[in-house]
Amino acid sequence: MTGGIKVNKDYIKKLLPEINEIKNLKLRQAVINAWLLAMDRGKWKKIEKIPFTLLKQTSRTLVEHTRCVTRMAIAVAKTRRDLDFDVVVAGGLVHDVGKLMECELRNNKYVKSAYGKLVRHPVSGYGLVIDAGLPVEVAHIVAAHSEEGEKVTRSPEAVLIHHCDFIDYEIERQK
Ligand SMILES: [Fe+2]
């Protein structure tokens, strides 16, 4: 393994410390791999300033949104105790990873990429997490977290991430 990959792995772990809440070490690594793969496919060197949405002007970043959704979902999963905890944490952490392919930095502005005009992040994200070795239960959360999920029956873990995602989005939207 090269130094560059190691630096990137530590970079992702630092940005998303909730990764350490995942008990299964293979799943933890697969979450990191999904973000590294997304950085590679989206040609990103740094991702901490990417906004969480392009639909409105916001200072909230994708990383802040991802952490907030994951932490809200962890709180609910700990309260209910009948959900697959690792799947919830992994799903929260990667639900928006496809946004790294949906947007790009052009003239110092974050805009929708040509790819993103054709493929929305739940779809690109599904491909990323499957290729990164995440199980279909987590890939289902990614594919179903947004409107795309209206066409399937969401798993309980996907229901949770879907709602936490919209809680964070709707509150932010009103600001
Ligand atoms: Fe989201």
Side-chain angles (χ1 to χ4, degrees):
M1 194 175 268
T2 67
I5 290 172
K6 166 116 182 44
V7 168
N8 276 337
K9 184 181 161 186
D10 291 344
Y11 171 70
I12 298 295
K13 279 170 93 174
K14 220 177 194 170
L15 280 185
L16 303 169
E18 288 75 18
I19 286 169
N20 294 317
E21 298 267 347
I22 300 170
K23 294 179 185 81
N24 182 307
L25 296 182
K26 258 187 162 168
L27 198 61
R28 237 187 241 189
Q29 188 55 53
V31 166
I32 295 168
N33 289 346
W35 279 94
L36 291 178
L37 191 60
M39 284 181 73
D40 192 52
R41 287 188 185 166
K43 300 188 176 62
W44 296 97
K45 290 208 165 58
K46 294 269 174 221
I47 57 172
E48 54 264 58
K49 294 207 173 103
I50 298 175
F52 95 98
T53 181
L54 297 175
L55 298 176
K56 69 162 276 186
Q57 195 64 35
T58 177
S59 60
R60 193 162 179 79
T61 67
L62 177 62
V63 169
E64 285 168 339
H65 166 72
T66 298
R67 291 191 62 196
C68 182
V69 168
T70 304
R71 287 158 75 162
M72 287 193 288
I74 285 173
V76 175
K78 280 184 175 166
T79 305
R80 281 203 57 107
R81 295 164 183 231
D82 56 356
L83 299 168
D84 186 320
F85 187 78
D86 270 6
V87 168
V88 166
V89 184
L93 288 169
V94 297
H95 81 278
D96 270 348
V97 73
K99 286 194 177 170
L100 265 57
M101 296 178 72
E102 202 175 48
C103 70
E104 65 184 20
L105 194 55
R106 209 185 300 148
N107 302 326
N108 246 347
K109 247 189 110 190
Y110 291 95
V111 294
K112 194 166 263 191
S113 66
Y115 180 89
K117 284 180 185 159
L118 299 174
V119 183
R120 262 170 52 81
H121 67 276
V123 177
S124 52
Y126 177 88
L128 283 165
V129 301
I130 289 289
D131 290 352
L134 281 155
V136 70
E137 290 79 5
V138 176
H140 163 72
I141 292 175
V142 178
H145 80 272
S146 199
E147 300 145 46
E148 284 82 352
E150 304 302 327
K151 298 287 181 190
V152 290
T153 302
R154 290 189 179 98
S155 67
E157 292 78 11
V159 169
L160 177 54
I161 299 300
H162 164 69
H163 284 284
C164 289
D165 187 34
F166 276 84
I167 289 169
D168 197 59
Y169 174 72
E170 287 295 332
I171 291 174
E172 199 59 31
R173 199 169 67 103
Q174 289 170 20
K175 282 186 182 166

